[in-house]
Amino acid sequence: MDRSSSKNNSSEFAASANVGAMGVTSMGANSHTPWSNNKESPSNEDDSNEDDGETATPAKVTDPLAPRLTANNERILVVSVTERRRETWGQKAEFLLAVIGFAVDLGNVWRFPYICYQNGGGAFLVPYCLFLIFGGLPLFYMELALGQFHRCGCLSIWKRICPALKGVGYAICLIDIYMGMYYNTIIGWAVYYLFASFTSTLPWTSCDNPWNTANCMPVTNENFTELATSPAKEFFERRVLESYKSNGLDFMGPVKPTLALCVFGVFVLVYFSLWKGVRSAGKVVWVTALAPYVVLIILLVRGVSLPGADEGIKYYLTPEWHKLKNSKVWIDAASQIFFSLGPGFGTLLALSSYNKFNNNCYRDALITSSINCLTSFLAGFVIFSVLGYMAYVQKTSIDKVGLEGPGLVFIVYPEAIATMSGSVFWSIIFFLMLITLGLDSTFGGLEAMITALCDEYPRVIGRRRELFVLLLLAFIFLCALPTMTYGGVVLVNFLNVYGPGLAILFVVFVEAAGVFWFYGVDRFSADVEQMLGAKPGIFWRICWTYISPVFLLTIFIFSILGYKEMLGEEFYYPPWSIQVGWAVTCSSVLCIPLYMLYKFCIASKGDCRQRLQESFRPDDHCGSVVPGQQGTTV
């Protein structure tokens, strides 16, 4: 039976049996089916993720009255309440690789090593591990369990948890758009470097190029001073970005065609990885998630063999215990673990929603979060072995060599590669690693939004996923064009801070409050027990009730107070841009209170008490979908 015939027939049967708007009510007032008293039609979320062309299968009737139903009533139930099988991962390994690929991103390479040595070296691992155990891991576990149990994205899930907080889902979708606007541009820079590496001599090796200035001087030159600029720095700033042709945000200049072409190529790769859902993404992650580890190990072997590498690693790990007295170290550790694991972006919800119902998400959370943190630690050895080598070459101290963020992977590391034998090979595999690291993360962020919207609007979007993904990526690419201008690097940093950087912390705090305080830890624990056969232990319940929400709120408050430090001092931001930045932040944050007002004032009925109950109380009859199934359609 196809969908169109099902709809036509169901209306005829319902009329003949004098059934109400929902055919399931024909079972009687005492029906125990999960959707019998659902005030919101489940069709908006539950028929969204069927495979293209898959036919409906009859719902399994678990109601005790079912044996007494007449044949006619059974026929009504079959056509008016149908279940659609949700697509699942082809293999368990594909899910694990997708989660690892999302969590392990460019920040593991360019931020963790820097922030580790800046905040006490080996001593930094103490607060880092504490916040992993008490803050990051419980939130990571929460999202995997939520997605797997309710089997829907970050929009539809709130009908089952706390309807008034559905604005959290819209905020996440908006944040994912902001991320797509600048994160893919960074991957585009790596693509530019990759193509530039296919030459006999790397173009940032010497100062004899048309883009070099009189201040250019190889770092191996004995006369190199702080007033000089290295060939790698000039290649990045004057060849790749050409930022000298702009005046920051006041005048960004036109789009650079070659850079736009590289970013366009990234969007094409993203499209053909996401257009078929987990069927296509599950195949891609075998390359994009595993390749970075192969390259990291190769680079580590090469790095530790360089002269001066031991000093770099010693500098990276030597504990400075006195720094633990500084509150900034603890805030940095909390922020790093949160942004490293990535709860709250909707990605973990989306990826786990394609799992089988009884999958051991608890074990998955422990495995993937541990691999993510160990990868950050491994990347530190790769980076600091090379920084030690660069300090040895330049006859200077390591703190004068290292940079944080894009400068580390687009200036310092390429600079070191240029001095090695076989530099072309090392450059190619290094930038291939950056590209695969970035692609995994952008897959995850965009899949979160795509899954959410397909689940929420199945008839408009869900059935046309391929077209929707194409239009969505085309829209994000057009919005991202300003990041490909000559002044685009300033906008990239700006969007990083004001897009997800501040807003996501508040959004995830509200998400955690909605799950742990409104939905309730006891109810959530019972859901986990239904999937895994055992309730989470007392440690998890205490973390979810008290520690994790406080952990998020603390990071948010300190981030708001130190937003200027997040912007950095490398670029100038005119006063008007700060106001625009806060508007960007508020654009996503305000989705939460605005939807709460809409739900209370417009979408709910009755007096104030009834409206509050309808807005904040989860539907007791909603429950989980049948294992292996997505839900119903009427």
Side-chain angles (χ1 to χ4, degrees):
M1 172 188 309
D2 60 26
R3 292 178 68 104
S4 59
S5 62
S6 172
K7 288 182 181 178
N8 294 334
N9 292 336
S10 64
S11 60
E12 295 173 5
F13 296 146
S16 64
N18 195 23
V19 189
M22 292 184 63
V24 72
T25 58
S26 65
M27 296 178 64
N30 295 325
S31 169
H32 291 13
T33 56
W35 309 282
S36 58
N37 293 323
N38 195 352
K39 290 181 170 51
E40 298 191 40
S41 172
S43 61
N44 285 344
E45 61 174 334
D46 290 329
D47 73 338
S48 57
N49 285 283
E50 71 273 6
D51 291 337
D52 295 340
E54 186 173 342
T55 57
T57 57
K60 293 182 180 179
V61 181
T62 57
D63 190 88
L65 297 178
R68 297 196 295 265
L69 293 173
T70 65
N72 187 46
N73 281 338
E74 288 178 354
R75 188 181 185 190
I76 294 173
L77 180 65
V78 168
V79 296
S80 60
V81 180
T82 58
E83 290 181 353
R84 301 204 175 267
R85 191 167 299 277
R86 185 179 181 86
E87 187 180 8
T88 57
W89 294 99
Q91 302 178 46
K92 173 66 175 289
E94 292 178 356
F95 165 70
L96 294 177
L97 289 174
V99 173
I100 292 169
F102 164 71
V104 178
D105 65 353
L106 296 173
N108 294 73
V109 176
W110 77 30
R111 178 163 170 77
F112 176 83
Y114 176 86
I115 206 172
C116 184
Y117 95 81
Q118 187 187 49
N119 290 288
F124 177 76
L125 297 177
V126 174
Y128 182 79
C129 291
L130 285 175
F131 284 122
L132 166 65
I133 295 170
F134 292 101
L137 184 55
L139 293 169
F140 197 87
Y141 179 20
M142 172 201 77
E143 286 216 344
L144 290 184
L146 276 178
Q148 182 171 306
F149 184 81
H150 294 288
R151 303 179 68 76
C152 52
C154 61
L155 284 172
S156 303
I157 197 171
W158 291 103
K159 299 176 184 178
R160 303 168 177 270
I161 297 176
C162 181
L165 295 182
K166 190 176 180 179
V168 169
Y170 288 108
I172 289 173
C173 290
L174 198 53
I175 288 172
D176 287 335
I177 290 177
Y178 292 144
M179 279 200 65
M181 288 170 57
Y182 75 88
Y183 198 82
N184 290 325
T185 299
I186 297 176
I187 304 173
W189 297 347
V191 172
Y192 192 105
Y193 268 87
L194 178 64
F195 283 107
S197 300
F198 285 96
T199 180
S200 57
T201 303
L202 295 177
W204 57 87
T205 302
S206 68
C207 295
D208 301 327
N209 303 289
W211 58 82
N212 291 129
T213 66
N215 292 327
C216 181
M217 182 179 296
V219 293
T220 54
N221 193 308
E222 295 181 355
N223 297 321
F224 188 87
T225 65
E226 294 182 358
L227 298 178
T229 54
S230 68
K233 182 178 176 63
E234 291 201 349
F235 178 80
F236 180 58
E237 296 177 350
R238 300 182 63 84
R239 180 61 174 173
V240 179
L241 304 177
E242 298 188 47
S243 54
Y244 67 95
K245 294 182 180 179
S246 77
N247 190 24
L249 295 180
D250 284 325
F251 175 73
M252 300 182 65
V255 172
K256 183 178 179 182
T258 52
L259 191 56
L261 186 62
C262 291
V263 178
F264 178 76
V266 173
F267 274 88
V268 171
L269 286 174
V270 171
Y271 174 72
F272 285 108
S273 300
L274 295 177
W275 68 327
K276 293 290 187 181
V278 297
R279 283 178 293 176
S280 55
K283 304 299 181 291
V284 175
V285 293
W286 284 98
V287 176
T288 56
L290 293 177
Y293 289 95
V294 176
V295 178
L296 275 174
I297 293 173
I298 294 174
L299 292 175
L300 177 63
V301 173
R302 176 57 177 153
V304 296
S305 67
L306 296 170
D310 56 337
E311 292 298 321
I313 294 174
K314 185 187 300 183
Y315 191 87
Y316 168 50
L317 292 179
T318 300
E320 299 179 65
W321 300 108
H322 65 278
K323 287 192 174 183
L324 294 183
K325 299 177 182 179
N326 188 346
S327 61
K328 180 180 178 299
V329 175
W330 294 82
I331 297 301
D332 284 348
S335 299
Q336 177 63 26
I337 197 64
F338 172 79
F339 285 107
S340 180
L341 292 177
F345 287 93
T347 303
L348 301 176
L349 275 174
L351 297 179
S352 62
S353 72
Y354 298 108
N355 274 336
K356 295 179 181 178
F357 184 79
N358 297 115
N359 173 65
N360 192 336
C361 55
Y362 170 65
R363 183 177 56 196
D364 293 347
L366 294 178
I367 292 173
T368 53
S369 59
S370 299
I371 290 176
N372 173 66
C373 295
L374 290 174
T375 303
S376 298
F377 194 56
L378 172 66
F381 286 93
V382 174
I383 295 298
F384 272 87
S385 62
V386 172
L387 290 181
Y389 165 68
M390 287 303 295
Y392 171 83
V393 170
Q394 298 179 32
K395 297 180 174 57
T396 185
S397 58
I398 296 175
D399 59 333
K400 294 181 180 179
V401 174
L403 294 173
E404 182 192 10
L408 179 60
V409 296
F410 291 112
I411 297 177
V412 177
Y413 210 95
E415 201 169 73
I417 288 174
T419 65
M420 301 178 187
S421 58
S423 57
V424 172
F425 169 75
W426 299 116
S427 180
I428 290 172
I429 67 168
F430 177 71
F431 288 108
L432 275 174
M433 179 190 72
L434 293 187
I435 292 169
T436 52
L437 280 174
L439 284 175
D440 270 337
S441 296
T442 198
F443 291 163
L446 292 172
E447 181 58 48
M449 178 171 42
I450 293 166
T451 295
L453 293 172
C454 286
D455 284 349
E456 184 65 16
Y457 307 104
R459 291 179 175 85
V460 178
I461 297 176
R463 297 180 184 176
R464 305 172 180 86
R465 179 186 171 105
E466 295 175 16
L467 177 61
F468 170 67
V469 174
L470 177 63
L471 295 176
L472 174 67
L473 292 180
F475 170 74
I476 295 177
F477 177 77
L478 292 175
C479 292
L481 283 175
T483 65
M484 304 167 218
T485 60
Y486 296 129
V489 64
V490 184
L491 184 59
V492 165
N493 190 59
F494 178 84
L495 287 173
N496 181 42
V497 174
Y498 288 111
L502 295 172
I504 192 64
L505 294 167
F506 178 75
V507 170
V508 182
F509 167 72
V510 177
E511 177 188 0
V515 174
F516 301 144
W517 297 344
F518 290 101
Y519 187 68
V521 169
D522 290 339
R523 189 191 302 263
F524 177 65
S525 299
D527 294 346
V528 175
E529 182 180 21
Q530 186 176 339
M531 292 187 294
L532 306 184
K535 277 190 175 182
I538 186 66
F539 166 78
W540 299 105
R541 298 201 296 273
I542 291 176
C543 286
W544 288 331
T545 306
Y546 306 107
I547 300 176
S548 295
V550 173
F551 164 78
L552 289 168
L553 186 60
T554 302
I555 303 176
F556 174 68
I557 292 173
F558 278 92
S559 296
I560 290 291
L561 296 176
Y563 78 95
K564 290 184 178 179
E565 183 178 337
M566 294 177 67
L567 281 174
E569 300 178 355
E570 185 177 359
F571 307 112
Y572 168 72
Y573 294 93
W576 64 264
S577 67
I578 304 301
Q579 298 174 6
V580 172
W582 286 114
V584 170
T585 298
C586 291
S587 65
S588 55
V589 170
L590 287 178
C591 290
I592 299 173
L594 289 178
Y595 188 86
M596 290 175 67
L597 289 174
Y598 163 77
K599 181 66 179 177
F600 179 80
C601 299
I602 299 176
S604 301
K605 298 178 181 179
D607 56 26
C608 282
R609 183 178 179 181
Q610 291 171 328
R611 288 172 182 263
L612 283 173
Q613 288 180 343
E614 187 175 341
S615 298
F616 289 93
R617 186 174 60 189
D619 191 341
D620 293 331
H621 300 276
C622 195
S624 168
V625 294
V626 179
Q629 303 291 337
Q630 163 62 17
T632 65
T633 180
V634 179

